[in-house]
């Protein structure tokens, strides 16, 4: 039933994707959204997958490949890590990614980036990395990062496509349109570098305040909504002469 619904959705809401080549003469920043144990590692927490998941594993692989290329080229990377106080709740989700726990740490395949000089780590306590970058004095760590590095293109990957990734992309595009991100020209969402979770209806209906979240359908919706806000959706990403960077 779900597969037929996804087929119908993709027919009614077709999503045009493109191949994107990132060039040395255009400053590009990579944004990693919540690629942490609490959302990606089997059994790591209340919102982690219960069993290996192909879409999530593929997202990690593609994101790690891109991170390697960006670090080799010394291009800027910002990684958002969901990190909450123990008493902080995000309805309708259960407690997750508590600050100081392994849930809120990068997955093993990406932990190495923490030692890289071109990487900025930002722990956030809300869905949206843009909002989560606001400091008490009103400054914004993400905005400062974009402006300081004169970033013209943002490449966005991570989880969940339709929640934290989409919220961040929408806020970033709104800020760009308001002139807060002066150098920024394009926001690119790499579809194979994104993933979301799977929560079937037959399980959700038996849990209070829960709603179904079919993975493939919501992944498509997240990408479609991001494109509708002005983002480019890439099915393949290549970097200069490194045509096997991702998606090939």
């Amino acid at each position: 039933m779900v597969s037929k619904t996804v087929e119908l959705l993709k027919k009614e809401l077709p999503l045009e994707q493109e191949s994107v080549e990132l060039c040395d003469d255009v400053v590009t920043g990579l944004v990693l959204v919540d690629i942490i144990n609490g959302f990606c590692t089997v059994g790591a927490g209340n919102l982690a997958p219960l069993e290996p998941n192909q879409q999530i594993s593929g997202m990690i692989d593609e994101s790690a490949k891109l991170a390697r290329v960006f670090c080799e080229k010394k291009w800027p990377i910002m990684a958002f890590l969901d990190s909450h106080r123990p008493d902080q709740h995000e309805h309708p989700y259960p407690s997750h990614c508590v600050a100081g726990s392994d849930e809120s740490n990068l997955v093993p395949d990406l932990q190495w980036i923490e030692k890289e000089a071109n990487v900025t780590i930002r722990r956030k306590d809300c869905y949206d990395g843009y909002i989560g970058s606001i400091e008490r004095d009103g400054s914004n760590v993400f905005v400062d990062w974009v402006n300081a590095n004169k970033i013209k293109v943002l490449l966005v990957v991570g989880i969940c496509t339709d929640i934290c990734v989409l919220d961040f992309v929408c806020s970033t595009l709104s800020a760009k349109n308001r002139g807060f991100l002066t150098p920024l020209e394009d926001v690119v969402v790499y579809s194979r570098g994104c993933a979301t979770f799977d929560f079937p209806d037959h399980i959700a209906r038996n849990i209070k305040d829960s709603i179904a979240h079919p993975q493939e359908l919501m992944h498509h919706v997240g990408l479609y909504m991001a494109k509708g806000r002005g983002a480019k959706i890439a099915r393949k990403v290549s970097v200069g002469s490194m045509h096997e960077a991702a998606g090939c």
Side-chain angles (χ1 to χ4, degrees):
M1 178 63 181
V2 172
S3 61
K4 291 182 179 179
T5 302
V6 172
E7 289 176 11
L8 177 62
L9 178 77
K10 289 183 176 181
K11 182 178 180 180
E12 293 297 318
L13 303 177
L15 178 64
E16 183 179 349
Q17 301 190 46
E18 56 192 281
S19 296
V20 172
E21 182 171 354
L22 307 177
C23 303
D24 287 301
D25 57 351
V26 176
V27 181
T28 303
L30 177 64
V31 175
L32 309 171
V33 179
D34 290 341
I35 311 179
I36 57 177
N37 291 315
F39 296 143
C40 303
T41 301
V42 174
N46 289 328
L47 296 184
L50 298 177
E51 58 187 15
N53 182 279
Q54 185 174 359
Q55 189 183 93
I56 294 175
S57 297
M59 175 272 296
I60 294 172
D61 290 345
E62 295 297 318
S63 300
K65 270 193 258 184
L66 285 167
R68 287 285 181 192
V69 174
F70 272 67
C71 285
E72 287 171 6
K73 289 181 167 289
K74 307 301 182 186
W75 288 359
I77 297 176
M78 174 166 277
F80 290 119
L81 280 57
D82 210 44
S83 186
H84 299 275
R85 299 187 313 272
D87 62 344
Q88 184 183 16
H89 302 289
E90 281 187 318
H91 182 78
Y93 301 105
S95 175
H96 61 278
C97 303
V98 174
S101 73
D102 199 43
E103 282 187 60
S104 66
N105 291 331
L106 287 162
V107 296
D109 285 357
L110 279 169
Q111 288 178 3
W112 60 271
I113 70 171
E114 294 179 353
K115 298 179 181 179
E116 298 293 322
N118 62 308
V119 176
T120 299
I121 303 291
R122 176 66 181 184
R123 293 189 178 272
K124 62 181 181 67
D125 60 358
C126 61
Y127 305 117
D128 186 339
Y130 186 95
I131 300 299
S133 293
I134 299 174
E135 300 281 36
R136 291 187 180 277
D137 63 3
S139 62
N140 188 299
V141 174
F142 167 71
V143 171
D144 292 345
W145 175 76
V146 170
N147 292 333
N149 287 286
K150 297 180 172 55
I151 293 171
K152 289 189 175 183
V153 176
L154 273 185
L155 179 61
V156 184
V157 296
I159 192 169
C160 292
T161 318
D162 55 313
I163 305 173
C164 295
V165 171
L166 179 61
D167 284 5
F168 167 73
V169 167
C170 290
S171 292
T172 297
L173 288 166
S174 292
K176 170 185 171 292
N177 293 339
R178 289 290 310 279
F180 299 152
L181 298 164
T182 306
L184 189 63
E185 296 177 359
D186 289 312
V187 176
V188 179
V189 179
Y190 176 37
S191 59
R192 289 176 57 191
C194 292
T196 192
F197 66 94
D198 193 38
F199 196 50
D201 179 62
H202 70 273
I203 296 177
R205 69 178 62 181
N206 295 316
I207 300 176
K208 184 180 178 181
D209 295 331
S210 294
I211 57 175
H213 191 277
Q215 184 179 49
E216 188 60 32
L217 189 152
M218 297 309 296
H219 177 66
H220 182 84
V221 167
L223 295 172
Y224 187 86
M225 295 296 290
K227 186 174 179 66
R229 295 297 191 274
K232 293 181 177 181
I233 309 300
R235 67 176 180 275
K236 183 171 71 172
V237 176
S238 57
V239 183
S241 61
M242 303 180 70
H243 295 289
E244 296 184 359
C248 298

